[in-house]
Amino acid sequence: MPNTIFVLNGPNLNLLGLREPEIYGADTLDDIAGMLEDRARALNLDIDMRQSNHEGHLIDWLHEAQATGAKAVLLNAGAYTHTSFALYDAIRAIRTPVIEVHLSNPAAREEYRRHSFVGMAAKGVISGFGAQSYLLALEAAARI
């Protein structure tokens, strides 16, 4: 799967489009998947888009990305970004590059959102551009 980009989405991202649209925008996760698939085709890449509200699934999928030879992982870990040592360890344990993605800008929000365990282990972070954050991250992943 050397041309595959895993796009992993954490808790509550299944509610995009409904949940706090003033912060996260009106695009649903399916809308974002469609945008990513269109852009990925142009870059000769495949997208494997997944969402779970369970931390262990995200960790298993990071391991799977490594095991299958994925080119990169785009990870929006949601609230786990700020709390999960386990995701930090999982990212550090794999060679597959991980790019942290956020729709909003955590640095401009509540104090507790300003610390990212995911970002400490990730190759890079793209945030604050709504659904475009995913497309920018995809462009970066294509060039890794």
Side-chain angles (χ1 to χ4, degrees):
M1 301 177 80
N3 286 332
T4 300
I5 307 291
F6 277 45
V7 182
L8 307 181
N9 297 279
N12 299 310
L13 291 165
N14 56 307
L15 299 177
L16 285 180
L18 301 172
R19 178 184 176 222
E20 299 177 280
E22 67 281 2
I23 295 173
Y24 301 111
D27 292 310
T28 67
L29 205 54
D30 285 342
D31 294 335
I32 293 170
M35 289 187 278
L36 283 170
E37 288 168 5
D38 289 345
R39 185 65 190 129
R41 270 192 294 281
L43 295 168
N44 198 32
L45 296 169
D46 295 312
I47 296 296
D48 187 337
M49 182 96 159
R50 304 175 186 193
Q51 187 277 328
S52 179
N53 293 318
H54 305 283
E55 183 180 35
H57 292 162
L58 297 171
I59 292 165
D60 290 344
W61 294 337
L62 286 165
H63 296 174
E64 183 182 339
Q66 168 74 25
T68 60
K71 180 174 180 63
V73 174
L74 309 185
L75 175 59
N76 183 342
Y80 290 137
T81 299
H82 320 291
T83 63
S84 180
F85 291 111
L87 281 173
Y88 169 87
D89 285 345
I91 295 166
R92 295 286 309 247
I94 64 173
R95 291 181 309 279
T96 307
V98 174
I99 300 172
E100 178 183 4
V101 178
H102 293 286
L103 296 160
S104 69
N105 178 359
R109 295 187 59 198
E110 303 91 345
E111 182 67 35
Y112 69 89
R113 294 186 193 273
R114 296 179 189 161
H115 180 77
S116 170
F117 290 107
V118 170
M120 290 170 54
K123 174 114 178 125
V125 178
I126 298 177
S127 66
F129 298 100
Q132 290 296 313
S133 293
Y134 283 87
L135 293 172
L136 293 167
L138 179 63
E139 294 283 342
R143 287 162 178 71
I144 291 176

